[in-house]
Amino acid sequence: MVTLPSTDTTRREETARALAAQVTDPEMPMLTLEDLGVLRDVSSGDRGQILVTITPTYSGCPAMGAMRDDLLHALRDHGFDDVEIRVRLHPAWSSDWISARGRAALVEHGISVPGAAARHDGPVPLTLLPVPRALTCPRCDSVEVSLVSEFGSTACKAMYRCACCLEPFEHVKEI
Amino acid sequence: MSHVHDHDADHESVYAGLTGGDDSRWAFGTDFEDPLAGIDTTLPDGVDAAALSQYCLMLGDDALIYSHRLSQWASNAPDLEEDIALANVALDLLGQARLLLVRAAAADGDLVPALPEGSPVPDEDALAFFRDEAAFRNVRFVEPENGDFAVTMARLLVFSTFRLAVMQRLVGSHDTVLSAIAAKAVKELTYHRDYAGRWFLTLAQGTGESRRRLLAALTLVWPLYDELFRTHPVEALLAEQGVGVDPAAVADDVAVLLEQVFSVSGTDRPDVPAAGPVGTGMGRDGMHSEAMGPLLAEMQVVARAHPSGRW
Ligand SMILES: [Zn+2]
């Protein structure tokens, strides 16, 4: 026998999903966790609890604790007392999961958006010269930009500088 | 503390803002109750729990010890960009270590050191901070002092090449948790290896002084190279069961890749004798180099002073 979810359950899930989808990333608050692609699923568990599934951006992402707490807060503040945050490691998070709305928000805040992440079927090739990215300066649109470092203020960003407006800017890395 | 949250009230004080008013936030800054929350950690059929656990310790301890070593560059690197880069590499490795130690504890809780009744210290922290030297299963390659920037880059190139090769194969593990951890690690290690490889080339082709230092660095790190590919019985067993990777199986891949870097850089694979065992064993047997004791003392002192996790 198949039990279909009651309308009540469905409505509750929808409300919970909408609340969770508004929670923002602690390190890039212009992005919601949904836009970042970290929020994978919101559903109901066996005992009626709300199950929220998230996928970490990086293994050591220090913001995971804050994300978890912010999700719990957002839901508990609206009467969802029984909430369980679950982690899903597979498939691994990819910068390809950042939504179109998320990309627009990044650009609006002066952060350069990632291109398509590389996919390898065989061994990962070594790249001794930085792989050129087709970037433009988020401030002045110049293409005269150069890589400062593949590592930046958070695990997910690289640092660039613009030769035209002379400003530094951050780029969300392809991963 | 109450478990009923009021978002605005929580953010009234800096402390509450930092902790989120949540008891799960431990004094040492642990930020996630269980990084494998909700993940099915059931063992695959026919896999020995104790062996899997030991294997996770090996891969986890390599990352943990090397992460600690690299973190010592924070505020000491040649410039801010390298400082940040090395801290990022250390953070990625710490994240990998954490997941692997949680996996180790989930597979075999017996190996987690006992702490005072009621201590909120999670299993992975108990493993990191309350095990003694002989219980660590990392290779000796990750233990030595950082040395200068050239030594650090030479060691990072070799280590990230080795670990990337292992993790690429581990993606095929029958253990779905190990497979997922490995898939993530591959992405991170690719950035680490490229970073170290580019610096290796830059130093080799830079000034006379940078080249002299790089060649000295390579000779310095090389004696512990062979140990990376020495198969421990636990690795052999798990490789046979399709859960782990026999490090000897990646030796050729690693050598070929390093040869690419050497040839572009105009350097040669060092010809120096391999370091012998410590007594009867090597790192995977719990036999470590002299540098390990002081490293653990520094890494563990704060946690050990507060085994109940409160101050
Ligand atoms: Zn510009």
Side-chain angles (χ1 to χ4, degrees), chain A residues 57 59-60 62 64-65 68-69 73 76-77 87 93 122-128 148 151-152 155 173-175, chain B residues 5 7 10 22 24-25 31-33 37 39 81 84-85 88 91 95 168 184 187-188 191 193-194 197-198 261:
Chain A
T57 52
S59 300
M64 285 296 281
R68 166 183 162 276
D69 287 349
H73 277 266
R76 284 181 185 166
D77 287 353
V87 177
W93 181 83
V124 182
L126 175 76
T127 47
L128 286 177
V148 176
F151 300 91
K173 279 190 276 195
E174 296 74 16
I175 194 164
Chain B
H5 293 286
H7 216 102
D10 276 349
D22 189 334
S24 66
R25 297 295 183 85
D31 60 6
F32 210 124
E33 273 175 330
I39 288 176
E81 283 75 17
I84 290 170
N88 269 283
L91 180 63
Q168 274 200 272
K184 188 81 219 173
K187 294 178 172 217
E188 294 164 351
Y191 275 101
R193 192 186 64 181
D194 285 348
R198 287 168 199 172
V261 184

Side-chain angles (χ1 to χ4, degrees), chain B residues 224-289:
Chain B
L224 292 171
Y225 179 83
D226 285 359
E227 184 185 335
L228 296 172
F229 310 101
R230 181 176 168 271
T231 313
H232 185 276
V234 162
E235 291 168 316
L237 177 69
L238 286 180
E240 220 169 85
Q241 297 178 338
V243 171
V245 175
D246 179 351
V250 304
D252 287 348
D253 290 356
V254 172
V256 165
L257 194 127
L258 290 177
E259 192 47 50
Q260 280 179 40
V261 184
F262 295 160
S263 115
V264 174
S265 307
T267 59
D268 294 316
R269 182 184 162 112
D271 185 17
V272 287
V278 183
T280 55
M282 295 192 183
R284 295 274 189 250
D285 311 303
M287 309 298 278
H288 299 286
S289 63

Side-chain angles (χ1 to χ4, degrees), chain B residues 1 6 11-12 31 35 41 59 68 77 83 90 103 112 135 153 186 188 191 194 241 249 275 296 305 307:
Chain B
M1 259 187 261
D6 177 317
H11 288 87
E12 275 173 11
D31 60 6
T41 51
L59 297 181
H68 185 78
D83 216 283
R103 181 73 187 119
V112 180
M153 287 304 119
V186 164
E188 294 164 351
Y191 275 101
D194 285 348
Q241 297 178 338
L296 286 181

Side-chain angles (χ1 to χ4, degrees), chain A residues 137 140 162 165:
Chain A
C137 169
C140 72
C162 173
C165 71

